[in-house]
Amino acid sequence: MTSSDIYDWLRTAPRGGRHILFRAPFGAVETPLSPAFRFTLRSMQKLAITWLGHSTFLVRTPGGKRILFDPWLTGNPACPDTLKKPPRVDLILASHGHFDHVEDLVVCARESGATVVAIFELCDWLGRKGIQNVAPMNKGGSLDIAGLRITITDARHSSGYFEDGRMIYMGEPAGFVVRLEDARTIYYSGDTCLFGDMRLIGEMYKPEIAFLPIGDRFTMDPVAAARACEFLGVRQVVPMHWGTFPLLTGTPSDLRSLVAPQGVDVLELKPGETAE
C-alpha cells in the first residue's frame, strides 16, 4: 500500500455537496507506508465538522477526539436550542476573550472536564474562575495533547471581556493550527483581518481546511477571506462569523464566487449541521 492508495481510501464525495475535502497528505505519491501506520489509518474515522453558529464549532478528529472551538451557546442566536447544552468534548480551543467566543467557556470546561488551550492571560482568567485544567500557550508555541499537535498563530483583532462593570484584558487574540492524527492539518483563524504572515502559516503547516471569518465590520470580509485562502493554499474554507447579526454582511455565496477560480471549495453549513 502506498500513499496514493491511502488518498483514494480517505477522499470523500466530489465537490458540490457538504463534504470535507482532503488532498493526499504525503509528499511523494508512491511513498511506502509502514504496516503500523497503515493499520492506524484504517482504524480512523472521517473528520466531522459541526457548526453551532457564529464561530463555534465541534470537530471530531479522525482519531475520535472531540474539539470545541470558541464556545458561545446559550446566548448565541444562531445556535439551535437542542445544542445549547455544553457538549461532551476532549479539548476546548479558545481564540480570544470576546463574549461571542467565550461566553460559555467556563461552563463547558467545568462540565466536560476538557483541557482548555488558549493564550496565557485567558488561561489565567479561567484559573480565577476555578478552571484548573488549562494549557496556557503563546504565539509560535506548539503542544502535543490528546494525540494532536496544537500550534498557536497570530491573529489581528482585540481581546477583552466585560465583567463587573469593567473591561478585562484577556491577552492577545490568536489562531490555531491543529495537526490531526493522520498528519494532516486544519487552521482556525479566530477573529482576524487579513495579514501577510498567513503565507507563512501556509508554507510551514500546509493546512488543508481553513476556518475563516467573512462577516466584515469586525473581521475580514469575503474579499479578504478569498485572499487568505490564496495565502494559505487551502483546498477548502469553512466560513464563520457571518449571519449572526445584521451588522455582519458578508455571505458564503460572495466568498464562493471569489474562490471558485482558485479551485477552493466553500463548506457552507447551517447551524447544527454536520459535514463529514
Side-chain angles (χ1 to χ4, degrees), residues 88-258:
R88 176 183 57 81
V89 294
D90 301 290
L91 285 175
I92 302 174
L93 273 55
S95 67
H96 66 292
H98 285 160
F99 79 95
D100 55 335
H101 295 259
V102 299
E103 188 71 28
D104 291 288
L105 178 57
V106 172
V107 66
C108 286
R110 181 175 292 125
E111 293 198 14
S112 68
T115 302
V116 180
V117 180
I119 208 80
F120 180 85
E121 291 85 353
L122 204 162
C123 286
D124 177 74
W125 175 79
L126 284 172
R128 287 182 272 119
K129 298 288 184 182
I131 304 300
Q132 300 302 317
N133 192 11
V134 296
M137 297 182 66
N138 220 312
K139 297 178 183 181
S142 296
L143 171 68
D144 293 314
I145 184 170
L148 309 167
R149 185 165 180 81
I150 312 294
T151 300
I152 284 194
T153 69
D154 196 13
R156 307 292 174 86
H157 196 59
S158 58
S159 181
Y161 189 74
F162 196 73
E163 189 173 61
D164 298 328
R166 61 191 181 94
M167 183 64 73
I168 299 172
Y169 176 64
M170 299 284 271
E172 291 197 1
F176 297 98
V177 170
V178 181
R179 190 178 71 188
L180 304 170
E181 297 94 341
D182 56 9
R184 296 172 296 185
T185 59
I186 60 175
Y187 168 58
Y188 180 92
S189 74
D191 283 5
T192 188
C193 65
L194 178 70
F195 57 96
D197 282 354
M198 285 183 176
R199 290 188 184 274
L200 290 177
I201 294 173
E203 291 172 7
M204 292 182 65
Y205 304 107
K206 296 178 173 53
E208 301 278 352
I209 299 174
F211 296 73
L212 299 177
I214 65 166
D216 204 0
R217 185 70 179 245
F218 301 102
T219 67
M220 293 187 285
D221 63 2
V223 174
R227 181 58 65 89
C229 290
E230 178 186 340
F231 285 1
L232 293 163
V234 293
R235 187 184 181 195
Q236 190 168 52
V237 57
V238 184
M240 62 182 184
H241 207 281
W242 67 274
T244 319
F245 309 109
L247 285 173
L248 307 181
T249 56
T251 66
S253 60
D254 293 336
L255 178 62
R256 185 176 292 108
S257 67
L258 294 165

Side-chain angles (χ1 to χ4, degrees), residues 62-74:
K65 300 301 181 184
R66 292 165 59 87
I67 308 173
L68 181 63
F69 287 88
D70 283 5
W72 182 39
L73 304 171
T74 54

Side-chain angles (χ1 to χ4, degrees), residues 1 6 9-10 35-47 60-65 181-182 184:
M1 178 179 286
I6 293 296
W9 174 74
L10 286 169
F37 193 46
R38 289 194 307 237
F39 176 80
T40 299
L41 285 174
R42 283 200 175 99
S43 66
M44 288 184 181
Q45 307 171 58
K46 288 182 178 180
L47 177 69
R60 187 198 67 208
T61 72
K65 300 301 181 184
E181 297 94 341
D182 56 9
R184 296 172 296 185

